[in-house]
Amino acid sequence: ILNVEQSPQSLHVQEGDSTNFTCSFPSSNFYALHWYRWETAKSPEALFVMTLNGDEKKKGRISATLNTKEGYSYLYIKGSQPEDSATYLCASRYNQGGKLIFGQGTELSVKP
Amino acid sequence: DVKVTQSSRYLVKRTGEKVFLECVQDMDHENMFWYRQDPGLGLRLIYFSYDVKMKEKGDIPEGYSVSREKKERFSLILESASTNQTSMYLCASSRTTDEQYFGPGTRLTVT
């Protein structure tokens, strides 16, 4: 059974802090890694899709890196804002048509 | 603007009832998915469909069935609801291997 792990499970930071969290996944036969943001009462929203080892993606204050050899991805948020409060989900895919395997999520709370 | 809609945001049903959760997407996507999300667990795949009238079991199909009669609509059916099916249900769609677009979720409580 393929297992995707996210850490920490939850995180509480102050506005303006920078933060990061981890997604670990089995590296064998890896195809792609997806990051989603899920705000309360809204639909999960795609942030990044990453496929290549060493890939880095950026969207505003949020960025992500990927290491496919060792099987991990980091998501960074620079200068956290209250509107960044959400659950961040990662999911890995193991072939082109394969289903996504989701981690349990990291719940981020940013206090003003 | 892409859209995936689900028939209800909140639903309360009794044990033994037959429950239908409907999902509609307006993006002409081939693939559609049903997940459930429970505290401390990731999204777990119940069923998915790559085309009309096609369905594949996901990781936790027991107690569920699905129907895809039209490309835009994917229904999840709980034949006889049980309390352990109380959960948040999310529908998603995608075009081939692209990112998945999610609906807002249905929080189902079975009493």
Side-chain angles (χ1 to χ4, degrees), chain B residues 4-15:
Chain B
V4 179
T5 56
Q6 294 183 229
S7 48
S8 307
R9 292 300 298 269
Y10 300 94
L11 208 51
V12 180
K13 294 291 180 180
R14 293 192 183 275
T15 302

Side-chain angles (χ1 to χ4, degrees), chain A residues 5-54:
Chain A
E5 297 284 340
Q6 290 187 249
S7 62
Q9 267 199 303
S10 64
L11 199 50
H12 299 266
V13 302
Q14 290 293 133
E15 183 175 354
D17 288 351
S18 292
T19 186
N20 66 85
F21 20 95
T22 306
C23 174
S24 301
F25 54 88
S27 55
S28 181
N29 298 315
F30 171 84
Y31 182 80
L33 193 282
H34 297 235
W35 279 102
Y36 288 86
R37 174 170 59 201
W38 190 5
E39 294 177 68
T40 303
K42 294 188 178 178
S43 309
E45 171 198 356
L47 287 172
F48 306 115
V49 180
M50 309 169 79
T51 55
L52 300 175
N53 186 43

Side-chain angles (χ1 to χ4, degrees), chain A residues 9 34 36 38 41 43-44 46 49 89 93 96-97 99-100 102-104, chain B residues 9 35 37 40-43 45 50 59 90 97-100 102-104:
Chain A
Q9 267 199 303
H34 297 235
Y36 288 86
W38 190 5
S43 309
V49 180
L89 298 168
R93 189 197 294 275
Q96 189 172 7
K99 58 190 182 184
L100 292 177
F102 280 87
Q104 72 273 47
Chain B
R9 292 300 298 269
Y35 295 91
Q37 199 263 342
L41 300 175
L43 294 181
L45 183 63
Y50 286 138
D59 299 317
L90 282 162
T97 59
D98 289 349
E99 67 202 51
Q100 293 183 13
F102 285 86

Side-chain angles (χ1 to χ4, degrees), chain A residues 23-103:
Chain A
C23 174
S24 301
F25 54 88
S27 55
S28 181
N29 298 315
F30 171 84
Y31 182 80
L33 193 282
H34 297 235
W35 279 102
Y36 288 86
R37 174 170 59 201
W38 190 5
E39 294 177 68
T40 303
K42 294 188 178 178
S43 309
E45 171 198 356
L47 287 172
F48 306 115
V49 180
M50 309 169 79
T51 55
L52 300 175
N53 186 43
D55 214 357
E56 288 189 30
K57 299 267 184 174
K58 189 170 172 167
K59 187 185 277 192
R61 293 178 291 99
I62 303 177
S63 60
T65 61
L66 179 67
N67 183 322
T68 60
K69 293 186 195 306
E70 295 181 38
Y72 64 83
S73 175
Y74 293 137
L75 190 81
Y76 301 91
I77 303 179
K78 187 176 174 182
S80 303
Q81 300 296 308
E83 58 264 30
D84 295 328
S85 297
T87 296
Y88 291 82
L89 298 168
C90 73
S92 58
R93 189 197 294 275
Y94 289 92
N95 53 63
Q96 189 172 7
K99 58 190 182 184
L100 292 177
I101 313 292
F102 280 87

Side-chain angles (χ1 to χ4, degrees), chain B residues 45-102:
Chain B
L45 183 63
I46 304 171
Y47 267 97
F48 59 106
S49 168
Y50 286 138
D51 203 348
V52 175
K53 295 195 187 293
M54 291 183 64
K55 59 187 178 186
E56 298 269 353
K57 290 181 181 179
D59 299 317
I60 50 165
E62 296 78 20
Y64 304 95
S65 62
V66 290
S67 172
R68 191 155 180 213
E69 296 296 317
K70 293 186 178 182
K71 191 175 186 180
E72 67 270 19
R73 188 180 295 269
F74 193 34
S75 304
L76 181 71
I77 303 153
L78 287 66
E79 293 290 341
S80 177
S82 63
T83 54
N84 63 13
Q85 292 178 308
T86 291
S87 188
M88 168 71 88
Y89 290 88
L90 282 162
C91 173
S93 71
S94 74
R95 190 184 307 284
T96 60
T97 59
D98 289 349
E99 67 202 51
Q100 293 183 13
Y101 293 86
F102 285 86

